[in-house]
Amino acid sequence: MKLKTIVKQSGLLALLLAMGSQAYAQRDTTNRPVTLDSFDIVRDYRPILADAVKIRRSPDMTNKREYMPKLNYGNVPDKKLDINTGLSELKIMETPFSRIVDHNSNYVKLGVGNLGTILGEAYFAVEDYEDIRFGGFVKHLNQKGNLDDQKFSRQEVGVFGRRIFPMFTVNGLIGYNGFGTRFYGIPMDVDNKNLNPTREAQRFNDIYFSGELTSNFDPANEDALSYSVKADAYTYKDKFDGKENSIALSGYLNKRLRTFNVGANVALDFNSIGGVNTPDGNLNNSIVNANPYIKFKGDNYNITLGANIVSEFGDSSRFNIFPVAEIDFSLVPGYFYIFGGVKGGVEKGSFRSFTKTNPYLGLTPNIMNTVERMNVYGGIKGNAGATFGYKVKAFYRQVEGLPMFVNNVDRPFQFDLVYDGDGDKALKHVGIEGEINVRLSELVNLGGRLNIDNYTTVSQEEAWHLPKMRLAANARFNISEKLYIDAEALFHGNATAREYSYTTDQVTNVTSPSATYSKTSIPSFFDLSAGAEYKATKQLGIFVKANNIFNTEYSRYLYYPKLGFNILGGINFSF
């Protein structure tokens, strides 16, 4: 890290500390109202440490949805905001299909639809004990579009368990995820000849495990010591030579001393990848990081100061220290907050995460880590009781090695990974995020998220396949105790892709790309979906879900159109 960068980041840290020192006082925080930040976001494990430890709540055995499979009745990749820029995916609220309306959380769901859609799903759990829960789930979903070999298939199987002891809680989950598709992209040469006649099949198999031991939260103990130890592991493979194995160990230790907390997060991720662009086709890409911090807490403020120490090792090594500082201050307690901070870190380049974002990644991809040199952010958030919540954040990032997808020159129906920003000059990313949640009544819930992004690239001509605007929203209407209706809307702005023109020799039948690429626009799109569920009896329900209602023709990636209008209906039996 260059000296001038360290000076700038240290200056920002000092400024935040000075701001926070004006707010310091001893206050009780146990009755602080809930804000948008209080909701838990569940995602795949990434070995990136949090800015500061989260104060754990006591385990709640009434949370029956924690291990239930997430329901998705459309084309599997369609609804994901799959922009790998560090921005989190929108998860506003559960759809009515996953609501638990009584104490019988076990269910079996069967459905069929057009485009060859077949759905089968089951969930079961033993909930007869106050301190033990265990169970499992299984799911199968497949669809076929109107294009040749436009096929999708997903399977999920898992078993889970939770045991609450007087001092700590143990959680465990082991499962399998399978996803199958084909390289159905349809690039053409100048004579309108299809350059992808074989449309090869692709299949991803993911076996994973997660286990955690966490201390139980004691609100009556002002000097409580909290801790957690977690292990995550997975083995991941595609149909060809691509594979990844990872074992990650992480934990935290936090000591609460009245108005402040002191502690550290640590994580160690051993990661090996095969079938990549290296001399022997293998890559050892491991990371260890530590995040010591001190957090001051009052009735109307939170101040966090610390550092993120990251060491990358394996086939290459690198060491970085990033300052971490954050302030959260209430101008109108319970209603209006301002917040800001500065942080940095390293995100592991993962074959697993890249192919979940874009399953049409080509053979022998180039895998690299992404370094967030600096992330300065600030904004406002708040709520009005339990009916309205909002959050608006602006940020400025300097990134080294931001991944982007571009079409392969020789096999344009597959994608390569390219990166922008290096050790000398970083990519600059400026953006705004906005979230809103509105509960008009017990009958109507609305939510939405807006992302606006602007990239100043260094080596790449454009931020390939990264739209500058994304908007997602949903609504839920509880018409009665038996009838639920939901709707979901997704908008992506224009994106830019690299495209070559191709000429096929009529004698040799050899296809050659043009010497240079041209920039082509991937048009913006709007996708609207809606569904309903009717509970005919206490055990039996009927559901229907329609995706892409306007039958919009659009693509997230060049040459890969999404499914058109599709509808799914079936029955749900709970017991």
Side-chain angles (χ1 to χ4, degrees), residues 310-323:
V310 186
S311 176
E312 304 166 68
F313 63 96
D315 291 347
S316 62
S317 61
R318 183 168 48 183
F319 181 81
N320 283 283
I321 301 177
F322 306 95

Side-chain angles (χ1 to χ4, degrees), residues 18-145:
M19 292 170 59
S21 64
Q22 301 298 320
Y24 184 78
Q26 288 188 350
R27 295 182 178 91
D28 178 28
T29 63
T30 56
N31 295 320
R32 185 173 180 177
V34 175
T35 65
L36 247 59
D37 282 347
S38 301
F39 296 102
D40 295 329
I41 302 298
V42 180
R43 60 172 174 84
D44 291 340
Y45 168 79
R46 293 182 182 177
I48 299 175
L49 299 177
D51 301 333
V53 67
K54 296 178 181 178
I55 303 301
R56 296 299 180 111
R57 295 170 295 179
S58 296
D60 179 11
M61 278 300 190
T62 64
N63 182 12
K64 300 181 180 182
R65 291 300 310 173
E66 182 168 354
Y67 298 104
M68 289 188 183
K70 299 172 185 176
L71 307 182
N72 187 345
Y73 296 92
N75 179 13
V76 174
D78 278 358
K79 302 304 178 203
K80 184 179 180 183
L81 298 183
D82 47 8
I83 312 301
N84 190 21
T85 62
L87 303 183
S88 60
E89 178 183 337
L90 172 68
K91 293 185 177 70
I92 301 171
M93 61 184 71
E94 292 181 347
T95 67
F97 305 112
S98 61
R99 283 172 49 89
I100 302 301
V101 295
D102 54 38
H103 298 292
N104 299 322
S105 59
N106 302 333
Y107 69 87
V108 175
K109 186 183 293 285
L110 299 172
V112 295
N114 70 329
L115 301 184
T117 302
I118 299 176
L119 170 72
E121 185 173 332
Y123 171 90
F124 68 92
V126 176
E127 303 169 346
D128 299 331
Y129 309 98
E130 292 184 357
D131 55 358
I132 299 176
R133 171 174 291 125
F134 58 90
F137 56 87
V138 60
K139 174 181 176 180
H140 171 80
L141 173 68
N142 69 266
Q143 291 181 292
K144 180 180 179 181

Side-chain angles (χ1 to χ4, degrees), residues 55-246:
I55 303 301
R56 296 299 180 111
R57 295 170 295 179
S58 296
D60 179 11
M61 278 300 190
T62 64
N63 182 12
K64 300 181 180 182
R65 291 300 310 173
E66 182 168 354
Y67 298 104
M68 289 188 183
K70 299 172 185 176
L71 307 182
N72 187 345
Y73 296 92
N75 179 13
V76 174
D78 278 358
K79 302 304 178 203
K80 184 179 180 183
L81 298 183
D82 47 8
I83 312 301
N84 190 21
T85 62
L87 303 183
S88 60
E89 178 183 337
L90 172 68
K91 293 185 177 70
I92 301 171
M93 61 184 71
E94 292 181 347
T95 67
F97 305 112
S98 61
R99 283 172 49 89
I100 302 301
V101 295
D102 54 38
H103 298 292
N104 299 322
S105 59
N106 302 333
Y107 69 87
V108 175
K109 186 183 293 285
L110 299 172
V112 295
N114 70 329
L115 301 184
T117 302
I118 299 176
L119 170 72
E121 185 173 332
Y123 171 90
F124 68 92
V126 176
E127 303 169 346
D128 299 331
Y129 309 98
E130 292 184 357
D131 55 358
I132 299 176
R133 171 174 291 125
F134 58 90
F137 56 87
V138 60
K139 174 181 176 180
H140 171 80
L141 173 68
N142 69 266
Q143 291 181 292
K144 180 180 179 181
N146 295 322
L147 302 177
D148 290 338
D149 291 322
Q150 189 183 20
K151 299 177 180 179
F152 310 93
S153 175
R154 181 181 293 279
Q155 294 77 37
E156 300 177 18
V157 180
V159 293
F160 60 86
R162 167 181 286 182
R163 177 71 163 90
I164 299 177
F165 295 92
M167 300 297 295
F168 58 86
T169 299
V170 178
N171 290 285
L173 171 65
I174 185 170
Y176 165 80
N177 290 329
F179 176 64
T181 185
R182 284 182 174 269
F183 292 99
Y184 67 89
I186 46 175
M188 299 288 185
D189 69 3
V190 294
D191 297 319
N192 207 32
K193 177 184 176 182
N194 190 346
L195 301 179
N196 182 23
T198 58
R199 297 180 294 278
E200 295 175 288
Q202 176 62 291
R203 175 77 186 178
F204 300 100
N205 296 294
D206 182 13
I207 300 174
Y208 62 92
F209 164 80
S210 179
E212 184 175 17
L213 184 152
T214 306
S215 61
N216 296 333
F217 176 55
D218 183 6
N221 186 357
E222 293 185 349
D223 299 325
L225 178 69
S226 57
Y227 54 87
S228 175
V229 179
K230 186 178 182 183
D232 293 87
Y234 62 81
T235 178
Y236 185 78
K237 194 178 187 311
D238 71 1
K239 187 180 178 181
F240 304 96
D241 296 326
K243 59 184 178 181
E244 181 173 8
N245 297 300
S246 176

Side-chain angles (χ1 to χ4, degrees), residues 67 181 255 417 472 536 544:
Y67 298 104
T181 185
K255 178 66 174 177
L417 279 165
V544 61

